[in-house]
């Protein structure tokens, strides 16, 4: 006989899941104990919201669903922000919530301890919300949760786990493989593939528009093969800023690269993969897409059929899993790859020159450090095969323009814009990689402090993580909003905080390595020492508050994402 909590682990193991995040209580101690015995990675952070962000990072790094738990009442309440973030970021996270036994829930009583009716509170934030009311529902509810999380547009689910079923036993067969109960590796029809290939071969100026989904589905290798067959530039969406190995030199960020803008304007075919064609790319029909709209065809690889044609019209929709469809395209093109786009080398040279000029012209010799120079110095010291994590407002905007690194894995939440995800994301990504790859978190100070207690979690797990924190002792982006709204010298209510804070000292208190930096020439050496320390590290870098709030690069481009009513 199999206990319910053991069966849940078996069902997740059939999906290749072997990591769980959360703070256990009586509902989950049996599950956690058994998970560790079975070889799972069991990580207990200091806040359930962090657990949700860590699980989301695991899903992004593995291409699979991920799991976190919340204890009954307040623990589940703490998951709410992470649920919403996973929903907007299209991340398949299974949120398991503990709950009182149903005999307690259904009583007409007041003053119940650690109790609120949870499932109804989260229905709008997840793709599926359910409760295991009876032990023999375990298989169908967990499988339905996985089916909903991974079918169509991926997203989170919430499954409640009431205490009255924890110790019940089941007589069940071995867990089924995923393909036995849900659709996997859905391909596109042969006629659609043929039409897409016809358009690709006829195009003179095709581009690949690569979004967040390419990296979260771990499909980079097949997309590289498609880019090679098409011999065209790769345009990154702002959510899909990981670089594919072998395509670094011809991958340009949409809107923030002159080469990208020229390639978009000239394009007569856009093959979009792993992107919703949302506001940051002007729905594929505004701003940079306007000049040549009449001559441009569109192919969209999309898992959710209801997304086709919503944001713009599509000539050839390829509905299915991009992990299956991209190889179909590669196979169809292999015998007749395109001749490289004539302007491709010119765009490569132009983008490289733009990046080098930015590195050269970023203000140096200042103390506090100019935030542009911070980005240049930190990203120039980014380790080979590292994982880049971003967090913060102004710091991230400086990073889009001035980053000198081209990481193969980048972690941040563009769609939801949830601050404070950086440190939990970094921990989750490191756990997914077994702590084998170095990580760099570049963040603003305000964002870093959301979940700063997770430094202890990183230190406990001995993760190779260096946190480079731009410190202006303020909500820098909001300071800029005050100045633009009310003018210089106006009140800046609620956006400044104590200049006595030393984040390097806080790090040392959690058992991490810490350094304080106030000159740009000291940033790279500090990062090198931090990695050499063998410990999780925090580099506190004082940055110039005026530059941080007033000199954000490409800010006008960034604001077009929010052009209400014009897109």
């Amino acid at each position: 006989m199999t206990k319910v909590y053991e069966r849940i682990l078996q069902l997740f193991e059939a999906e290749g899941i072997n990591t769980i995040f959360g703070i256990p209580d009586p509902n989950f101690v049996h599950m956690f104990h058994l998970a560790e015995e079975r070889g799972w990675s069991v990580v207990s952070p200091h806040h359930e919201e962090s657990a949700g962000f860590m699980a989301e990072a695991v899903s992004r790094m593995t291409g699979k669903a991920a799991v976190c738990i919340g204890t009954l009442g307040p623990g589940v309440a703490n998951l709410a922000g992470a649920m919403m973030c996973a929903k907007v970021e299209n991340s398949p996270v299974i949120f398991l919530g503990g709950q009182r036994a149903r005999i307690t829930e259904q009583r007409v009583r007041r003053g119940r301890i650690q109790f609120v009716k949870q499932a109804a509170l989260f229905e709008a934030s997840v793709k599926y919300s359910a409760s295991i009311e009876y032990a023999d529902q375990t298989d169908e509810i967990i499988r339905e949760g996985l089916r909903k999380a991974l079918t169509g547009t991926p997203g989170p689910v919430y499954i409640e786990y009431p205490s009255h079923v924890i110790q019940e036993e089941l007589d069940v067969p071995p867990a089924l493989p995923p393909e036995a109960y849900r659709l996997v590796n859905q391909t596109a029809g042969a006629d659609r593939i043929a039409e897409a290939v016809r358009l690709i071969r006829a195009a003179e100026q095709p581009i690949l528009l690569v979004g967040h989904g390419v990296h979260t589905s771990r499909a980079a290798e097949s997309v590289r093969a498609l880019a090679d067959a098409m011999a065209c530039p790769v345009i990154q969406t702002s959510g899909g800023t990981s670089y594919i190995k072998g395509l670094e030199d011809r991958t340009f960020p949409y809107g923030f690269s002159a080469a990208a803008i020229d390639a978009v304007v000239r394009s007569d075919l856009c093959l979009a993969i792993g992107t919703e064609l949302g506001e940051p790319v002007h729905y594929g029909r505004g701003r940079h897409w306007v000049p040549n709209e009449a001559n441009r065809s569109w192919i969209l690889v999309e898992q959710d059929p209801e997304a086709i044609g919503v944001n713009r019209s599509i000539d050839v929709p390829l509905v299915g899993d991009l992990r299956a469809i991209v190889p179909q395209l590669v196979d169809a093109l292999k015998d007749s790859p395109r001749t490289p786009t004539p302007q491709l080398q010119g765009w490569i040279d132009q983008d490289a020159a733009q990046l080098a000029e930015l590195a050269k012209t970023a203000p140096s010799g200042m103390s506090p450090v100019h935030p542009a120079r911070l980005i240049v110095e930190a990203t120039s010291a980014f380790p080979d095969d590292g994982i880049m994590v971003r967090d913060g407002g102004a710091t991230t905007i400086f990073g889009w323009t001035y980053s000198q690194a081209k990481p193969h894995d980048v972690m941040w939440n563009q769609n939801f814009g949830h601050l404070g995800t950086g440190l939990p994301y970094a921990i989750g990504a490191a756990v997914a990689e077994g702590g084998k790859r170095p990580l760099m978190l570049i963040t603003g100070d305000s964002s870093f402090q959301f979940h700063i207690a997770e430094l202890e979690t990183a230190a406990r797990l001995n993760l190779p993580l260096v946190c480079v924190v731009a410190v202006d002792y303020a909500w820098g982006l909001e300071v800029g909003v005050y100045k633009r709204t009310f003018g210089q010298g106006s009140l800046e209510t609620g956006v400044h905080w104590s200049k006595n804070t030393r984040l390097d000292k806080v790090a040392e208190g959690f058992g991490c390595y810490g350094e304080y930096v106030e000159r740009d020439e000291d940033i790279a050496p500090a990062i090198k020492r931090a990695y050499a320390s063998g410990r999780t590290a925090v580099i506190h870098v004082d940055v110039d508050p005026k530059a941080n709030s007033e000199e954000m690069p490409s800010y006008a481009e960034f604001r077009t994402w929010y052009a209400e009513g014009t897109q």
Side-chain angles (χ1 to χ4, degrees):
M1 301 295 287
T2 303
K3 299 279 190 180
V4 168
Y5 61 83
E6 181 177 4
R7 184 58 173 176
I8 292 174
L9 293 178
Q10 291 174 355
L11 294 169
F12 287 145
E13 287 169 349
E15 288 276 353
I17 299 169
N18 59 5
T19 305
I20 193 167
F21 297 92
I23 304 170
D25 74 345
N27 286 60
F28 290 101
V29 291
H30 302 88
M31 180 183 288
F32 273 44
H33 185 277
L34 182 61
E36 188 167 54
E37 283 189 343
R38 295 173 75 96
W40 283 50
S41 294
V42 180
V43 179
S44 292
H46 292 277
H47 196 286
E48 286 87 357
E49 187 177 56
S50 290
F53 293 143
M54 291 174 189
E56 186 190 348
V58 167
S59 78
R60 295 184 183 204
M61 294 299 297
T62 63
K64 302 173 184 177
V67 178
C68 81
I69 68 104
T71 61
L72 74 170
V76 172
N78 284 340
L79 292 175
M83 278 189 199
M84 294 179 197
C85 187
K87 178 69 176 294
V88 178
E89 292 294 312
N90 304 326
S91 298
V93 180
I94 312 297
F95 291 93
L96 293 181
Q99 183 56 293
R100 300 285 298 275
R102 283 297 183 257
I103 190 170
T104 299
E105 174 165 334
Q106 299 304 321
R107 295 286 190 192
V108 183
R109 297 288 187 269
R110 298 191 180 197
R112 286 166 287 184
I113 301 298
Q114 283 193 308
F115 174 76
V116 65
K117 290 192 175 184
Q118 297 164 172
L121 297 176
F122 301 124
E123 286 178 356
S125 297
V126 294
K127 293 185 69 180
Y128 173 69
S129 178
S131 174
I132 302 174
E133 297 290 327
Y134 303 95
D136 63 3
Q137 294 177 318
T138 302
D139 279 31
E140 64 180 281
I141 288 177
I142 295 296
R143 285 178 181 151
E144 180 69 358
L146 288 161
R147 187 181 296 119
K148 294 287 189 183
L150 295 163
T151 301
T153 301
V157 303
Y158 173 72
I159 298 175
E160 203 156 89
Y161 180 59
S163 60
H164 68 279
V165 302
I166 292 171
Q167 296 287 358
E168 292 193 33
E169 294 185 331
L170 299 163
D171 183 8
V172 288
L176 295 172
E179 60 270 17
Y181 67 88
R182 65 178 180 86
L183 182 63
V184 298
N185 295 324
Q186 180 186 358
T187 57
D191 57 337
R192 290 293 192 179
I193 292 292
E195 179 62 13
V197 169
R198 185 189 68 79
L199 287 181
I200 293 169
R201 286 175 174 157
E204 296 181 3
Q205 299 278 4
I207 58 173
L208 268 179
L209 183 65
V210 172
H212 174 70
V214 168
H215 308 289
T216 58
S217 63
R218 314 312 292 172
E221 187 174 339
S222 61
V223 173
R224 176 188 173 178
L226 178 59
D228 287 341
M230 292 179 64
C232 68
V234 176
I235 309 300
Q236 293 175 327
T237 69
S238 55
T241 54
S242 300
Y243 286 78
I244 296 172
K245 286 184 179 179
L247 300 178
E248 296 91 344
D249 61 343
R250 57 177 158 129
T251 299
F252 316 125
Y254 175 83
F256 301 116
S257 161
I261 293 171
D262 192 38
V264 165
V265 169
R266 289 173 179 264
S267 64
D268 58 359
L269 170 69
C270 179
L271 171 49
I273 308 175
T275 173
E276 295 177 300
L277 299 178
E279 283 187 316
V281 290
H282 307 103
Y283 300 128
R285 55 186 172 82
R287 198 160 171 79
H288 307 303
W289 304 99
V290 172
N292 200 29
E293 168 69 11
N295 301 315
R296 186 181 301 112
S297 299
W298 281 80
I299 302 169
L300 176 64
V301 179
E302 171 58 59
Q303 190 161 278
D304 183 359
E306 294 185 357
I308 302 299
V310 174
N311 286 5
R312 66 149 295 118
S313 60
I314 301 298
D315 297 284
V316 182
L318 300 176
V319 178
D321 190 331
L322 69 87
R323 289 169 287 198
I325 291 175
V326 173
Q328 285 183 285
L329 291 170
V330 172
D331 187 62
L333 289 166
K334 66 183 180 183
D335 294 330
S336 55
R338 289 185 68 258
T339 300
T341 300
Q343 291 83 7
L344 181 56
Q345 188 58 53
W347 286 327
I348 290 172
D349 295 340
Q350 180 184 16
D351 194 67
Q354 178 179 338
L355 199 58
E357 181 66 15
L358 287 165
K360 180 181 177 181
T361 58
S364 60
M366 294 173 56
S367 184
V369 177
H370 194 285
R373 177 53 58 184
L374 164 63
I375 297 296
V376 169
E377 296 298 325
T379 56
S380 296
F382 182 73
D384 293 340
D385 199 33
I387 300 170
M388 177 69 75
V389 186
R390 297 185 180 131
D391 200 1
T395 303
T396 296
I397 293 175
F398 275 99
W400 290 331
T401 298
Y402 283 95
S403 177
Q404 302 296 300
K406 296 191 174 183
H408 300 133
D409 286 295
V410 176
M411 195 81 58
W412 79 296
N413 67 93
Q414 175 241 292
N415 281 348
F416 201 40
H418 196 311
L419 300 181
T421 57
L423 186 52
Y425 274 178
I427 293 170
V431 169
E433 293 290 308
K436 296 176 181 177
R437 292 172 61 188
L439 296 96
M440 180 181 289
L441 166 62
I442 300 181
T443 180
D445 48 0
S446 303
S447 303
F448 189 59
Q449 292 182 84
F450 269 71
H451 292 293
I452 198 168
E454 303 308 341
L455 283 173
E456 188 282 325
T457 307
R460 182 192 341 141
L461 299 175
N462 196 32
L463 300 181
L465 165 64
V466 172
C467 307
V468 182
V469 188
V471 182
D472 66 345
Y473 307 97
W475 295 94
L477 196 61
E478 285 66 32
V479 171
V481 172
Y482 269 116
K483 291 178 179 179
R484 286 185 294 276
T485 303
F486 300 110
Q488 293 283 350
S490 64
L491 290 174
E492 296 172 357
T493 308
V495 294
H496 296 278
W497 44 278
S498 171
K499 292 186 178 180
N500 296 323
T501 303
R502 283 284 298 270
L503 299 179
D504 56 316
K505 297 299 184 184
V506 174
E508 290 173 358
F510 282 119
C512 301
Y513 179 89
E515 278 205 41
Y516 175 83
V517 172
E518 53 187 347
R519 300 186 309 170
D520 50 63
E521 64 264 32
D522 295 331
I523 295 173
I527 291 172
K528 184 177 180 179
R529 288 189 294 270
Y531 282 117
S533 74
R535 291 184 284 163
T536 296
V538 174
I539 311 299
H540 172 130
V541 185
D542 271 1
V543 297
D544 181 70
K546 182 175 176 62
N548 204 45
S549 62
E550 297 180 13
E551 299 178 22
M552 288 171 288
S554 307
Y555 190 75
E557 179 73 20
F558 165 63
R559 287 302 304 165
T560 66
W561 299 0
Y562 298 90
E564 306 295 335
T566 66
Q567 297 179 359

